[in-house]
DNA sequence: TGTACATCAGTGAACGCGCGTTCACTGATGTAC
DNA sequence: TGTACATCAGTGAACGCGCGTTCACTGATGTAC
């Protein structure tokens, strides 16, 4: 298998510098908006010379972009991992919600940056949203959801997830508080989509207890 | 009744200048983030000298603040006006949603600035959210909502409203499309809160047709 | 009503600093022999 | 394995421009007599 020709080389030192810059950006962009963070602060936090910044990133916007991409890949990988063994679309939906709440709890800085950039867009081409779209379509096709959910169910689910993240972050909820808030939100969102009350509560309870390694370990 | 002593004077010319600056800010802040809008652009759009900016606002952050306040007061007044004659908390909730969607349609620029600032915070002290809180509490107390709605119902409703606004703006929905999207969202959100399906659909239909002067005139 | 004066907003040139970007140089890493 | 050389990332001083803020001056508005 031929290796990508244009990519120059990995190089340990280079990787370390780049990673230090990304880490610093993640930390500082969580504290204040991107435009309020001068490159001087980034390189200082990374313990690196100013010139190095431009060895790795063409300009500041591309750096911000690299950070957004980093976060997106992170959360996409978490969702994919959590759902890789699940085919039931309802469980995939709730599993994604668990991942998002866990992300807000365990990766506070990344979650703040993500929310700031409204990375959670309503765009259907966003990979995460495309996954949700598929699962919701499957539920609608299977008669699990109301017809109102066909078009607008994605929006409701996104709103629920975004508000949960915002709540966990702004109100600094503990894991226990977050789990309860998530349980209630999942019950309501599922009811809204058309799931009957008993099953909605059953599924929501499953999220809080069964995959406990998600919400309680680490 | 004694007049506020510290306030200097209204002065027609002064009012005109200040208003021109605010209008320009509203327009430009909708196009790009605040930090990307230099004061030169604001005064140019307002047709005013640069120095005048500082006659009216101490600095740029306070200007941004004045604009946010302007928008908040605007939407608060609209909600208050729409609900002043309504005591039924369910109708007040749906009436607020109608106002918000109408705002996104008829005041596009203001709505964009509002969403950018995440003015829609989850904070309970925000006046709009306090109003929602009261109405939701009343519904819970009246047995109209599930117990899950007691704590987290506000979040669900906020998420629904925010996603509706974002959707109207980003996808440039027409009034007709927005009305249908809102109808579906209201049905789902009410179902989620615990309203039975028949009443949820009845209320949602009422939003789209009855107060037509809201969604169709102007 | 008219004139003189005080006050206050408007004006735009000038200032200066913060910050993104560049560049000549240095030192480290990897390769050829 | 050791030495010479090429390549490439790291360094931080220097640059320069964009932009927020100031200021001395002008012209308009409002008031006293």
């Amino acid at each position: 298998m031929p290796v990508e020709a244009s990519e120059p080389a990995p190089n340990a030192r280079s990787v370390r510098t780049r990673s230090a810059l990304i880490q610093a950006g993640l930390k500082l962009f969580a504290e204040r908006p991107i435009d309020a963070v001068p490159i001087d602060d980034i390189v200082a936090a990374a313990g690196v010379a100013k010139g190095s910044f431009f060895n790795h990133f063409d300009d500041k916007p591309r750096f911000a972009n690299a950070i957004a991409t980093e976060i997106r890949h992170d959360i996409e990988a978490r969702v994919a991992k959590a759902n890789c063994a699940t085919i039931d679309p309802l469980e995939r939906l709730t599993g994604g919600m668990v991942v998002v709440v866990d992300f807000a709890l365990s990766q506070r800085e990344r979650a703040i940056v993500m929310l700031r950039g409204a990375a959670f867009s309503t765009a259907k081409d966003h990979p995460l949203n495309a996954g949700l779209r598929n699962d919701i379509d499957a539920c609608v096709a299977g008669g699990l959801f109301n017809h109102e959910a066909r078009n607008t169910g994605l929006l409701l689910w996104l709103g629920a997830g975004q508000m949960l993240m915002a709540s966990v972050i702004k109100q600094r909820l503990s894991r226990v508080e977050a789990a309860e808030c998530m349980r209630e939100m999942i019950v309501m969102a599922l009811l809204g989509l058309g799931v009957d009350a008993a099953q909605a509560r059953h599924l929501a309870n499953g999220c809080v207890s069964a995959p406990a390694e998600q919400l309680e370990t680490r």
Side-chain angles (χ1 to χ4, degrees), chain A residues 30-49:
Chain A
E31 291 170 5
R32 44 208 153 106
I34 291 180
D35 288 309
V37 179
I39 294 179
D40 293 74
D41 287 14
I42 298 169
V43 295
V48 149

Side-chain angles (χ1 to χ4, degrees), chain A residues 1-5:
Chain A
M1 184 192 297
V3 171
E4 189 69 41

Side-chain angles (χ1 to χ4, degrees), chain A residues 53-145:
Chain A
F53 182 91
F54 293 92
N55 286 339
H56 289 272
F57 306 97
D58 287 347
D59 51 26
K60 207 189 174 193
R62 291 199 208 214
F63 176 66
N65 213 50
I67 292 212
T69 302
E70 160 81 17
I71 295 175
R72 212 187 60 233
H73 285 169
D74 184 358
I75 201 161
E76 278 170 14
R78 286 163 187 257
V79 171
K81 183 176 171 222
N83 279 346
C84 62
T86 314
I87 45 168
D88 178 56
L90 262 183
E91 282 180 30
R92 291 173 59 87
L93 283 172
T94 57
M97 197 68 91
V98 170
V99 170
V100 160
V101 170
D102 178 62
F103 189 75
L105 285 162
S106 67
Q107 306 289 316
R108 186 157 220 279
E109 288 174 0
R110 291 178 174 230
I112 290 171
V113 177
M114 184 174 175
L115 277 183
R116 231 206 275 286
F120 250 123
S121 76
T122 61
K124 294 200 191 76
D125 56 343
H126 189 105
L128 275 177
N129 295 356
L132 287 177
R133 177 88 268 164
N134 283 340
D135 294 332
I136 289 173
D137 284 349
C139 291
V140 172
L144 292 164
F145 286 175

